[in-house]
Amino acid sequence: MRRIAKWVGIAVLGLLLVASIGVGGAVLVAKRAMARVHQVPDEPLAIGSKPEVIEEGRRLLAARGCAECHGADLGGGVVLDDPALGSLYAPNITLGRGSVVEGFRDADWVRAIRHGVKRDGRPIVIMPANEYYFLSDRDLSAIIAFAKTAAPVDRELPPHRIKPLLYVLTALEVFPLLAANSIDHAAPREAVSEPEATKEYGRYLAKVQCQGCHGEGLGGGPPPGAPASLPVPANLTPDEATGIGKWTEADFVRALREGRRPDGRELDPFMPWKNFRNLDETELHALWAYVRSVPAKPFGSR
Ligand code: HEC
Ligand code: HEC
């Protein structure tokens, strides 16, 4: 018995050793990925200063999701606070105490938002720059115009606390912590028209706002690597059985404005309808025109 116990003890110690080398290795891999330096050349973008542009920027900061992490006042806030993964904070992007944008040139704003890259070239954590890469010049310049002139907020956020599990998931590229490392920083960006209620403009909006969750073909199903605990994005194609083929435009608008399905059931708040409340009429019509135009596909086909 005692001998068996000894062997079991040695085996367990061995496993623990292998596991800790594995975790230690993963932490090293993830830390290296976080320290990767990207050389992204400055992209010229004219930033407006007219009051109507700044006002549009305020709306877009809410509609495109920035305010969800950085706060409606842009003073920053908690993005993730999980006992197993750790805590991540969106910084203060006003010019008050605790600001991380002091001395930012326009090109620094563009690089941070479209490329997910800080001034020193390192990746910005958790911010979905892979989607913002495709923001139109019009939208991005209005967002920056508003952010640059936002009232200063004094708020200092604590440093991020990253637990070993988050390092492991980052090393395995399961958790999308470092958008900059997966963006093709030289990928062509299609020219986007001025806002209009067309399916082409809707395709632009879907690319920056919907496809990350609902899939490129809008067929729904779990995004790759999504934990099983997260609600599963629905099928937005016109498939009658598993998609929204039977919905009217009014049903679609209610879902995005009020977070309710046609049968009255509320949508899980993981579907960011509280941001989408800030989409305007033109954007809603355009999105509807686009989701109507895509081929019907079964649920789960992404
Ligand atoms: C999912 C949450 C999230 C969303 C959405 C988000 N951000 Fe961020 N943002 C962050 C976090 C977290 C950081 C700090 C990352 C770090 O410390 O590496 C950051 C950093 C920044 C920075 C500072 C970059 C630097 O060089 O330090 C700017 C500017 C910024 N975000 C602007 C925006 C704008 C504009 C939007 C919307 C288009 C946006 N963010 C959307 C989480 C988010
Ligand atoms: C962060 C992930 C996420 C993003 C981004 C997102 N959705 Fe969703 N969406 C979901 C999830 C998850 C559900 C299912 C919610 C539930 O089960 O309650 C859903 C459900 C829906 C539904 C209800 C469909 C049904 O059959 O019940 C509609 C409509 C919808 N989304 C439209 C959109 C549109 C349009 C966009 C882009 C403007 C978008 N979503 C962006 C996650 C997302």
Side-chain angles (χ1 to χ4, degrees):
M1 270 310 275
R2 210 181 275 158
R3 187 176 288 173
I4 291 176
K6 194 171 155 197
W7 276 112
V8 169
I10 288 174
V12 167
L13 271 181
L15 276 179
L16 281 177
L17 191 67
V18 170
S20 58
I21 290 173
V23 171
V27 171
L28 280 181
V29 169
K31 285 196 170 160
R32 206 176 305 141
M34 291 173 74
R36 194 164 140 192
V37 172
H38 296 266
Q39 310 283 358
V40 179
D42 285 355
E43 268 183 65
L45 181 69
I47 310 297
S49 56
K50 292 203 185 104
E52 59 273 24
V53 171
I54 291 175
E55 215 30 54
E56 173 67 349
R58 180 201 304 277
R59 181 184 75 82
L60 289 169
L61 264 144
R64 306 282 185 262
C66 321
E68 193 179 347
C69 289
H70 291 280
D73 64 1
L74 302 188
V78 180
V79 177
L80 177 85
D81 186 21
D82 182 276
L85 298 172
S87 309
L88 300 175
Y89 303 92
N92 183 343
I93 55 169
T94 73
L95 288 170
R97 193 161 26 84
S99 170
V100 297
V101 295
E102 242 176 62
F104 257 42
R105 301 166 306 140
D106 290 349
D108 296 324
W109 283 97
V110 174
R111 189 188 323 98
I113 300 165
R114 272 194 178 148
H115 297 268
V117 169
K118 295 193 190 191
R119 269 190 294 190
D120 63 5
R122 284 182 305 121
I124 290 174
V125 300
I126 210 167
M127 184 162 126
N130 50 316
E131 288 172 12
Y132 298 148
Y133 184 84
F134 295 101
L135 275 174
S136 66
D137 286 356
R138 173 207 178 262
D139 285 1
L140 184 59
S141 61
I143 286 173
I144 297 173
F146 173 68
K148 274 174 59 171
T149 52
V153 175
D154 293 331
R155 191 175 305 143
E156 292 179 54
L157 280 300
H160 307 303
R161 275 188 311 116
I162 300 181
K163 297 271 178 84
L165 179 60
L166 185 51
Y167 282 123
V168 172
L169 296 176
T170 301
L172 297 173
E173 295 181 14
V174 171
F175 188 91
L177 189 68
L178 308 169
N181 293 4
S182 62
I183 293 174
D184 173 357
H185 295 277
R189 200 175 288 118
E190 272 179 55
V192 181
S193 71
E194 282 296 298
E196 51 186 20
T198 57
K199 68 173 191 296
E200 288 73 27
Y201 196 71
R203 186 163 66 93
Y204 156 65
L205 293 171
K207 193 173 181 84
V208 291
Q209 302 233 252
C210 321
Q211 289 177 346
C213 287
H214 288 276
E216 217 164 301
L218 299 181
S229 54
L230 281 183
V232 177
N235 181 357
L236 301 184
T237 74
D239 183 48
E240 295 232 329
T242 66
I244 58 171
K246 296 202 171 118
W247 288 34
T248 62
E249 179 165 9
D251 292 334
F252 182 74
V253 169
R254 189 181 317 110
L256 294 182
R257 283 250 161 102
E258 298 165 28
R260 282 192 190 285
R261 293 194 184 79
D263 63 10
R265 276 181 305 143
E266 202 166 300
L267 290 171
D268 189 283
F270 180 65
M271 154 70 193
W273 59 268
K274 291 197 173 142
N275 304 342
F276 299 156
R277 272 200 298 229
N278 298 289
L279 293 171
D280 66 18
E281 293 288 329
T282 309
E283 289 173 325
L284 289 168
H285 284 308
L287 276 166
W288 175 247
Y290 180 61
V291 299
R292 266 348 216 193
S293 76
V294 302
K297 298 193 343 172
F299 170 73
S301 53
R302 308 246 340 126

